[in-house]
Amino acid sequence: MPLLEVTDARLARQFITLPARLHGAVPQYINPLENEVEVVFDPAKNPRFTNGEAARWVLTDAAGTVIGRVAAFLNRDAVDVQNSDLPTGGLGFFECIDDQSAANQLLDAGRKWLAARGMQAMDGPINFGERDRFWGLLIDGFDRAPNYGMFWHPPYYQALFEQYGFQLYFKQYTCYRTTAAPLHPSFAKKAEASAAEFRFAHAHKADAEKLAQDFHHVYNLAWAKHTGVKLMTLAQARDIVREMKPVVDERLLWFAYHGTEPVAFFISLPELNQIFRHVGRRLNLWGKLRFVWQQWRFMQRSDKRLFGIIYGVVPEYQGKGVDAAMLVYARQAFIDAGYADIEMNWIGDFNPRMLVTTRSIGASIVKTHATYRYQFDRERPFERMPIIR
């Protein structure tokens, strides 16, 4: 089976279109926007190429039909790559027919490419970018459509990875609840007790600068201490707000304030795949016009789904009930805005505190992805992702 490195536009197009050809008949499947996958491999648009590199391959059968694909990448600024004890690169965008020998050829290509660059392990399937998209292999929840920015995978992919020798590095849980489901009575009590000390409000997208500054402040205090998470600059926060603006519903952007200081947030977006599944695979001019129309139709519905992106509390205010109180106000706003369901962006099993919080609001796990690690030295003891304490 010929393995071809993607070096021209024809092969790049075959790389992009393979998932739809493999899975397009599956009712749950929603194709990621092809433009957004292409950006990952565009040095002019993906800043990780500043100190990194990537390679892609497609695998064909004897007739020349593409039956698999994979990418390998190296971000030299990443914590795992800089780990002198076990420098670890990335492998992702894997798609393949149900054939172990075909999968082995693809995975071998990524392993050899990374080993030639000094890596001793590879994580996959992951993204040459942030963890919020194209990250992890679906291993449970095949009956549900993927959320925006995530792939749907068939069940046999798990066996292809594990039979090759990948080991589970961490699980990623996507949780769900209806907005109408009541919160525990203790939440209302915490909201009442917090009313005099804290203020709760959703953001206003017309004031993009305040939104960026508030998000930047809470994010850096609540999240930047975690492994693999770097401090965010205010310029980066402004970029995020600008990119979100076309799709944001300000009623889903909730903050808690102590005086004038933002101390907690719960940031959500409309679940965009409910819109994009009616738009098509490319966001060209016609796709953008269809998106505007489908977005308008979506916003008229009373059964919308929202997607919880990120949640955080400044450490000084953790354990004081401010997050529970914020969720009381947010939940009512979601209901009033016509959102019936909420799915929350994946939470790693290395973050037990966040999983406890999720369970406390009555959410249950509906999808599980896995991030695997393959160590090139097969005799070396394997260690899973460290637990956040």
Side-chain angles (χ1 to χ4, degrees):
M1 290 181 284
L3 182 73
L4 307 173
E5 185 172 357
V6 175
T7 56
D8 59 37
R10 180 182 64 87
L11 292 175
R13 187 67 190 150
Q14 292 178 335
F15 182 95
I16 291 294
T17 58
L18 178 61
R21 184 158 58 78
L22 290 180
H23 315 310
V26 176
Q28 295 82 14
Y29 177 76
I30 301 175
N31 200 77
L33 287 173
E34 293 177 351
N35 313 61
E36 296 191 346
V37 177
E38 289 168 347
V39 164
V40 174
F41 301 100
D42 186 342
K45 297 179 180 178
N46 185 346
R48 281 158 184 79
F49 279 99
T50 302
N51 195 23
E53 55 183 313
R56 290 184 284 171
W57 298 268
V58 293
L59 184 69
T60 68
D61 62 15
T65 301
V66 175
I67 58 173
R69 75 175 196 184
V70 77
F73 24 81
L74 194 63
N75 174 14
R76 294 182 180 85
D77 295 325
V79 172
D80 287 329
V81 172
Q82 294 179 351
N83 180 358
S84 58
D85 181 55
L86 187 68
T88 302
L91 178 140
F93 299 87
F94 173 89
E95 301 283 353
C96 191
I97 61 171
D98 190 2
D99 184 299
Q100 188 67 53
S101 62
N104 289 352
Q105 270 193 265
L106 292 163
L107 300 172
D108 278 346
R111 176 178 57 81
K112 291 174 182 177
W113 186 89
L114 289 166
R117 286 154 178 78
M119 297 298 101
Q120 296 177 20
M122 60 183 178
D123 287 348
I126 66 171
N127 184 23
F128 192 35
E130 299 295 340
R131 285 183 178 180
D132 64 341
R133 60 181 60 193
F134 307 142
W135 200 289
L137 184 77
L138 184 68
I139 61 172
D140 189 53
F142 306 103
D143 58 331
R144 299 179 73 91
N147 290 319
Y148 171 71
M150 295 294 283
F151 289 119
W152 182 90
H153 297 128
Y156 68 84
Y157 277 19
Q158 181 175 3
L160 295 181
F161 266 73
E162 293 180 358
Q163 289 176 22
Y164 182 80
F166 277 92
Q167 295 172 275
L168 180 67
Y169 190 46
F170 59 83
K171 287 185 176 181
Q172 308 159 223
Y173 299 119
T174 301
C175 299
Y176 165 87
R177 62 160 280 152
T178 64
T179 54
L183 294 167
H184 191 275
S186 63
F187 281 66
K189 292 180 180 178
K190 290 175 181 176
E192 184 178 354
S194 300
E197 186 176 0
F198 298 97
R199 179 174 62 88
F200 306 94
H202 68 72
H204 296 280
K205 63 180 181 179
D207 193 350
E209 180 62 20
K210 177 174 174 52
L211 173 55
Q213 291 189 14
D214 290 354
F215 178 75
H216 170 258
H217 178 82
V218 178
Y219 178 89
N220 278 346
L221 290 176
W223 278 101
K225 62 188 174 100
H226 292 258
T227 301
V229 180
K230 294 185 176 181
L231 285 170
M232 178 186 294
T233 66
L234 184 55
Q236 288 172 322
R238 288 172 178 143
D239 287 342
I240 290 171
V241 170
R242 186 180 66 254
E243 290 170 4
M244 288 196 313
K245 194 170 183 179
V247 298
V248 78
D249 182 341
E250 63 186 26
R251 299 168 295 182
L252 307 183
L253 311 174
W254 276 84
F255 288 83
Y257 296 89
H258 185 257
T260 60
E261 180 192 5
V263 297
F265 58 36
F266 182 37
I267 304 296
S268 306
L269 292 173
E271 207 299 286
L272 296 176
N273 265 359
Q274 294 177 93
I275 303 172
F276 283 128
R277 75 183 311 160
H278 304 293
V279 170
R281 287 155 47 184
R282 298 195 69 81
L283 205 58
N284 50 23
L285 177 59
W286 176 240
K288 290 177 181 178
L289 292 173
R290 287 184 60 84
F291 174 80
V292 171
W293 168 242
Q294 293 295 338
Q295 183 185 38
W296 181 86
R297 293 185 63 194
F298 173 77
M299 294 305 294
Q300 310 313 305
R301 290 166 47 180
S302 59
D303 63 343
K304 298 187 290 292
R305 174 168 295 175
L306 65 95
F307 185 48
I309 301 293
I310 188 168
Y311 162 97
V313 182
V314 171
E316 181 183 348
Y317 296 94
Q318 292 175 4
K320 296 186 177 182
V322 62
D323 50 345
M326 177 177 60
L327 292 174
V328 170
Y329 290 92
R331 170 182 169 272
Q332 189 58 53
F334 299 161
I335 293 172
D336 293 344
Y339 290 91
D341 305 285
I342 177 171
E343 284 195 14
M344 281 155 276
N345 197 13
W346 66 262
I347 303 167
D349 62 3
F350 53 83
N351 191 355
R353 289 185 182 179
M354 191 65 204
L355 289 169
V356 168
T357 299
T358 302
R359 286 194 296 270
S360 75
I361 65 170
S364 58
I365 296 168
V366 292
K367 296 175 197 165
T368 304
H369 290 74
T371 294
Y372 288 102
R373 174 165 285 184
Y374 182 94
Q375 296 180 170
F376 301 164
D377 178 358
R378 307 305 292 160
E379 301 301 318
R380 178 183 174 126
F382 184 82
E383 296 181 8
R384 290 193 59 184
M385 175 80 167
I387 299 294
I388 294 175
R389 302 296 181 184

